[in-house]
Amino acid sequence: MNQKYFNAFSRKLDTTLSGEALSNIATKSEFCQRKRRINPRELLICLMTTMGCDKTETIADIQRRFVEYTGQDITYRAMHSQLSKEAFPEFMREALSHLLTDWLAPAQVFSPQSPFSRFRRILLQDGSSFALNDSLKDSYPGRFSTVSPAAVELHATMDLLADQVCSISLTADTASERDCLPELAELDNCLLLVDRGYFDLDWFSRLDMNGGHFIGRCLNGVNPLVEKAWSERGKALELDEGTTLKKVQNRLLKKQRTELAVCWKLNGKEEFRARLIAFWNEEEGRYTWLITNLPRDEFSLSEISDAYRLRWQIELLFKEWKSYANLHRFNTSNPHLAEGLIWASVAAAVLRRFICQGAKWLAGKPLSTRRVAMSCASTLTQLMMALLHHRRAEAKRLLEKIMAYLGVYAQRAHPKRDRKTGRSKLGLLPIGCC
């Protein structure tokens, strides 16, 4: 084990969860204006441990764990009173932001031979919805009002090269996904991968003008002007130039993908040019479309298709949150409590990914984030308790034990397949791994 790296990693884990930093966050968010028995640091560590290491369904579960972990005689009423505060979700959101600021670091890199190595960041954008207590329908109305009157959606931006979420917003399930896209000013020399719920030609055009790039799913029914078309093998197709897509769509290929150079007129004046890639979907009996502004002379049709498949990593991230960090419907009618527990669940998942990155670097082998999320619940609980009670020597010993275990038992199952057909096909490799 690289002792120098391990010591630095251990210090970062400890200092990020220090009492001073978290007390400042609690004061600024007005969650804690004076000294109380439930202090912010203890609460955050206990919530992260409970959400990440135990099955948690009720506030009583949290109260019992807090008493067990801290040794304090805190009643259910006192715990519920603290978590019901209007400032509780603000504190948890700011605490999560603090964790990401300290723990977000490069974890993967594209090989120099890959055309995707040119990008400063590669961001994946998507949202995940789930139901809340029906009584919260006024605060968080759901799209499917009959089945789930109350529901929220977490809109997440994931940094692929960090293999970690980097930005999250929470809205009612009825809110527009497009309003949660990253700021254009932050996307210079970045590549953004989005699903069709974020399709917005005007936004894509402005991103293009700001030096950013994107690959996204198209809405069905788009009808730009077609300027040129090619088969998957690069053969030019004979189509009438300047005709609309709908007029030539039935002449596109079905046994192989088709690429088109297209143009839209925005607001009747500005022209926006892009590439469309068509896939024939046999089950649905129609084409599926990808849109991108990546230049054709640098990025092939196959490379764009393979790059879009990397967006699946954010779907796996959501699955981790819901399966292994207790992100689910809590039986509470208090909107502040419900939102605060959502941020606590995400914080627990962020902790797991942070430990995964350290273990991967020390093992020198790619690890499965899913296997990490499933592993070491009891030892991780002991680690968090050692940190909670400032037993630093014990915490280092437990952290070393966790990382040694993960380095052996959480390795990715098929690294060769990853390089051939999976996430490493385009040259995406874990930093520090052979």
Side-chain angles (χ1 to χ4, degrees):
M1 178 177 286
N2 185 322
Q3 198 64 42
K4 183 177 180 180
Y5 176 83
F6 174 78
N7 290 338
F9 186 89
S10 178
R11 283 195 301 272
K12 182 173 282 289
L13 179 63
D14 188 20
T15 55
T16 302
L17 296 173
S18 70
E20 182 180 358
L22 297 174
S23 293
N24 289 337
I25 293 172
T27 301
K28 289 179 181 179
S29 64
E30 300 184 356
F31 175 63
C32 187
Q33 295 299 302
R34 60 183 184 275
K35 189 174 181 180
R36 292 182 178 273
R37 293 178 66 192
I38 302 178
N39 75 58
R41 178 176 179 272
E42 289 180 343
L43 180 61
L44 177 65
I45 291 177
C46 287
L47 283 173
M48 291 170 66
T49 306
T50 302
M51 295 298 185
C53 302
D54 295 303
K55 184 177 181 180
T56 307
E57 296 181 340
T58 66
I59 309 306
D61 292 333
I62 296 172
Q63 178 257 341
R64 285 192 293 268
R65 292 300 184 195
F66 186 88
V67 172
E68 177 188 352
Y69 295 157
T70 64
Q72 297 188 58
D73 184 18
I74 301 296
T75 65
Y76 174 87
R77 182 176 180 179
M79 177 63 69
H80 190 278
S81 177
Q82 282 293 95
L83 302 188
S84 298
K85 285 182 175 180
E86 185 175 352
F88 173 56
E90 177 67 19
F91 164 66
M92 291 304 303
R93 183 169 57 248
E94 291 301 317
L96 174 59
S97 177
H98 166 69
L99 299 182
L100 288 173
T101 299
D102 272 18
W103 291 348
L104 199 68
Q108 304 179 112
V109 66
F110 280 97
S111 65
Q113 294 76 28
S114 172
F116 295 93
S117 63
R118 60 174 280 190
F119 294 111
R120 179 171 58 89
R121 301 175 80 188
I122 296 182
L123 303 175
L124 321 178
Q125 179 76 23
D126 206 352
S128 181
S129 303
F130 58 95
L132 298 179
N133 188 293
D134 290 353
S135 62
L136 295 175
K137 62 183 179 181
D138 292 332
S139 300
Y140 296 108
R143 283 178 293 170
F144 309 104
S145 56
T146 303
V147 179
S148 302
V152 294
E153 183 165 9
L154 281 171
H155 305 270
T157 306
M158 180 181 179
D159 188 326
L160 179 68
L161 300 183
D163 206 16
Q164 179 68 282
V165 65
C166 59
S167 176
I168 317 171
S169 59
L170 184 147
T171 68
D173 195 32
T174 53
S176 170
E177 294 176 317
R178 300 174 195 177
D179 294 338
C180 299
L181 283 163
E183 294 293 328
L184 288 170
E186 302 173 358
L187 298 178
D188 178 42
N189 196 30
C190 293
L191 174 63
L192 180 68
L193 309 182
V194 294
D195 202 1
R196 61 184 177 185
Y198 297 90
F199 182 84
D200 187 331
L201 286 173
D202 181 64
W203 193 87
F204 287 158
S205 175
R206 287 185 284 122
L207 175 61
D208 184 63
M209 290 187 290
N210 277 272
H213 293 83
F214 64 89
I215 305 174
R217 280 275 301 277
C218 266
L219 293 174
N220 294 323
V222 293
N223 193 31
L225 296 176
V226 177
E227 297 182 333
K228 291 182 180 179
W230 300 269
S231 71
E232 185 173 342
R233 299 185 180 92
K235 181 181 178 181
L237 304 181
E238 295 183 4
L239 299 176
D240 297 330
E241 291 186 13
T243 190
T244 62
L245 179 59
K246 287 185 178 179
K247 291 181 178 178
V248 300
Q249 186 168 318
N250 61 351
R251 296 169 57 190
L252 300 182
L253 305 174
K254 292 184 179 179
K255 292 186 178 181
Q256 58 177 298
R257 293 167 292 190
T258 308
E259 178 182 350
L260 303 100
V262 298
C263 176
W264 280 272
K265 287 192 176 182
L266 305 180
N267 302 318
K269 297 180 181 179
E270 297 180 4
E271 292 186 341
F272 172 57
R273 286 180 166 80
R275 298 166 66 188
L276 285 187
I277 297 173
F279 306 75
W280 178 251
N281 189 319
E282 194 69 40
E283 292 183 2
E284 297 182 2
R286 62 184 181 184
Y287 289 100
T288 297
W289 304 90
L290 290 181
I291 181 173
T292 184
N293 65 337
L294 292 174
R296 188 169 183 266
D297 58 348
E298 296 180 45
F299 298 87
S300 69
L301 180 154
S302 295
E303 287 170 333
I304 291 170
S305 302
D306 290 335
Y308 186 74
R309 292 174 59 193
L310 292 171
R311 203 194 62 81
W312 185 246
Q313 298 306 309
I314 197 170
E315 301 289 357
L316 298 178
L317 184 77
F318 289 143
K319 183 173 177 60
E320 282 180 30
W321 292 0
K322 292 182 178 181
S323 299
Y324 310 113
N326 283 287
L327 184 63
H328 57 74
R329 168 178 174 160
F330 286 93
N331 188 25
T332 176
S333 59
N334 185 295
H336 311 307
L337 202 159
E339 181 183 346
L341 294 181
I342 290 171
W343 296 126
S345 295
V346 176
V350 166
L351 169 67
R352 286 278 193 176
R353 285 253 172 164
F354 176 62
I355 290 176
C356 176
Q357 305 309 344
K360 178 176 61 179
W361 203 95
L362 289 168
K365 297 177 181 179
L367 301 184
S368 163
T369 53
R370 177 176 176 272
R371 289 184 175 183
V372 170
M374 297 169 63
S375 303
C376 300
S378 60
T379 312
L380 181 58
T381 300
Q382 295 174 46
L383 167 64
M384 297 300 282
M385 293 307 97
L387 291 171
L388 177 68
H389 296 290
H390 303 287
R391 301 193 296 263
R392 291 182 172 83
E394 181 185 351
K396 286 186 68 174
R397 177 181 61 79
L398 290 165
L399 181 61
E400 187 170 3
K401 180 180 178 181
I402 289 172
M403 290 189 164
Y405 177 90
L406 295 176
V408 176
Y409 296 104
Q411 294 181 28
R412 291 188 65 82
H414 304 287
K416 290 183 178 179
R417 186 179 67 186
D418 289 342
R419 290 190 291 270
K420 187 175 181 179
T421 61
R423 58 189 287 170
S424 301
K425 184 179 179 180
L426 292 171
L428 181 64
L429 302 172
I431 292 175
C433 297
C434 55

